[in-house]
Structure formats: structure tokens, C-alpha cells
Amino acid sequence: MMKIAVLVSGGGSNLQAILDAKVRGELPNGELCLVLSSSPDAYALERAAKAGVPQAVCRPQDYADRSAYTDAIIETLKDYGAEVVVLAGFMFMLAPQFAEVYENRAINVHPALIPSFCGPGFYGLKVHERALAAGVKVSGATVHFVTAETDAGPIIAQKAVDILEDDTPQVLQRRIMEQCEWILLPRALRLLSEGKITVKDGKVHIDQ
Ligand code: GRF
């Protein structure tokens, strides 16, 4: 069983999608060893508790700087034996050593079709506000490996949805979560835990 840790900051609906996939038998080679939150108030922690998954909290404000915080996260992940890490709505930029330690073993879900609407400053509702302001006709989600540069790692999977006339950022966010993120993320995790994903020259190859 591959040990999976999920990093969260808020609602944890993507975490829930992973937990549900596990219950349905769609993550046969993986088990959740830890849900690590940047905030003690994250609802994601309740979801973890209900599912019987160990929880930990590491608050950025308790550390001198980004690097010290990142070291604490890495230590906690090691304590729980995490082999694979999922950033699922984790709202804090980790220092480069995280991507080094977990090279090709950490994945992130971003609520847009990378390379559109991504990078520093594109998080939460802001992503969808910018997509609507640009007038694009489709958006979606991307699951990618984490590298030192924000939202720039090798792309594992993407899924698109139409943008509709009267969409608000909230409505679009919900559609992208339901139709893209909650489907793509557990699927990518399954492939990763089954050793079916390889990275060569910065590109992902999937052995289906
Ligand atoms: C998701 O849209 C995720 O892609 C983004 O933040 C949102 C978090 O949702 N980065 P949740 O905490 O998984 O419900």
C-alpha cells in the first residue's frame, strides 16, 4: 500500500473525493496516512476525522519564515511515512525543498486549464474571476506534479467544461469542482499509486 498524505487549508471537498474513491474501491494500492492542514479551523479536518484518517495542523504563522515552515511540513510528512503527497486546496506556497524531497511524488489540483489562469496570485475564486473577465469559453482543472515554480510542473491530466452566459465565479468554481477536480484527482492518485505514471523530459507518460 502506498502511503498518501493530503495537504489542505479549507473545505476539503477534494479530500472528500479521494476518501470516497477509497471507499468505492477505486484506490486499491493507496491508503491515506495523514491529512495535514495549514489551519486548525479547516473543515477538511472534520472530514478526515469522520473517515478515521490521522490529522495534523501546521500553521505558517508559528514559523520564522517559509523555509522553516516547509521543513516542518516535510518532517511531519516523514513522521507519518508519507510516500505520496496531494496538495488539495492547500493555500500556502511551500519553499523549493518540498518539491525536491517529493519530486514526482507530490501532485496538485489547479482549477483552470494550465497554462491559462495559473501561477502566483491565481488561487481560489480569483482564478474563476480572471477566466470570466477574459471571456474564455471553456475552463477546467489540471492535475500536475509539484515543482518549485507555482503551477508549472508536468501535467498529468486535464478536463474542460463550458463556460455559460450567466456564470458567476462561484457557479463556475462549483462546476469545475464537480465535473473536473473531483474526478481527475482520485484518478491521478490511483495511477500514481499503481506506478503507472512516469516523467521524462518534463512530460508525463501514463501507462494505462
Ligand atoms: C479547489 O478549487 C482547488 O482546486 C483550489 O481550491 C479549492 C479547494 O477546494 N486550489 P477544497 O478545499 O478541496 O474543497
Side-chain angles (χ1 to χ4, degrees):
M1 273 301 170
M2 188 168 267
K3 288 190 169 186
I4 300 163
V6 184
L7 267 54
V8 296
S9 296
S13 67
N14 279 293
L15 165 67
Q16 192 65 53
I18 296 169
L19 293 168
D20 293 347
K22 180 68 194 164
V23 169
R24 288 196 303 266
E26 292 169 8
L27 198 51
N29 289 17
E31 65 178 358
L32 270 74
C33 66
L34 174 67
V35 169
L36 177 48
S37 176
S38 62
S39 158
D41 305 321
Y43 182 64
L45 289 169
E46 286 183 40
R47 297 184 193 266
K50 272 190 203 132
V53 176
Q55 308 125 54
V57 176
C58 272
R59 302 189 320 157
Q61 57 267 45
D62 293 337
Y63 298 87
D65 54 26
R66 184 186 303 271
S67 184
Y69 180 59
T70 302
D71 289 342
I73 294 269
I74 293 169
E75 276 313 302
T76 309
L77 291 169
K78 282 186 180 164
D79 286 347
Y80 284 83
E83 296 163 278
V84 161
V85 182
V86 183
L87 272 58
F90 185 69
M91 292 299 185
F92 191 86
M93 276 288 305
L94 293 170
Q97 62 264 37
F98 174 79
E100 268 169 42
V101 174
Y102 281 98
E103 188 183 11
N104 296 341
R105 296 190 297 138
I107 64 175
N108 178 48
V109 60
H110 181 73
L113 296 172
I114 291 174
S116 291
F117 312 112
C118 64
F122 285 88
Y123 59 88
L125 274 180
K126 287 179 199 285
V127 177
H128 308 294
E129 283 164 9
R130 296 284 286 272
L132 291 177
V136 293
K137 302 303 180 200
V138 293
S139 190
T142 304
V143 176
H144 64 92
F145 281 112
V146 176
T147 55
E149 208 183 324
T150 311
D151 299 333
I155 293 173
I156 299 168
Q158 292 186 300
K159 194 166 184 287
V161 289
D162 287 334
I163 290 182
L164 307 179
E165 274 294 308
D166 50 2
D167 271 348
T168 62
Q170 288 81 358
V171 168
L172 180 58
Q173 179 182 52
R174 182 77 195 178
R175 185 180 314 121
I176 289 175
M177 280 182 164
E178 281 177 358
Q179 295 183 24
C180 306
E181 297 181 51
W182 300 344
I183 296 165
L184 287 182
L185 191 57
R187 205 184 276 167
L189 199 49
R190 176 181 191 153
L191 292 168
L192 189 60
S193 66
E194 291 177 347
K196 290 184 173 165
I197 303 182
T198 46
V199 183
K200 199 176 166 221
D201 300 329
K203 293 200 178 72
V204 164
H205 175 75
I206 298 176
D207 184 14
Q208 296 275 13

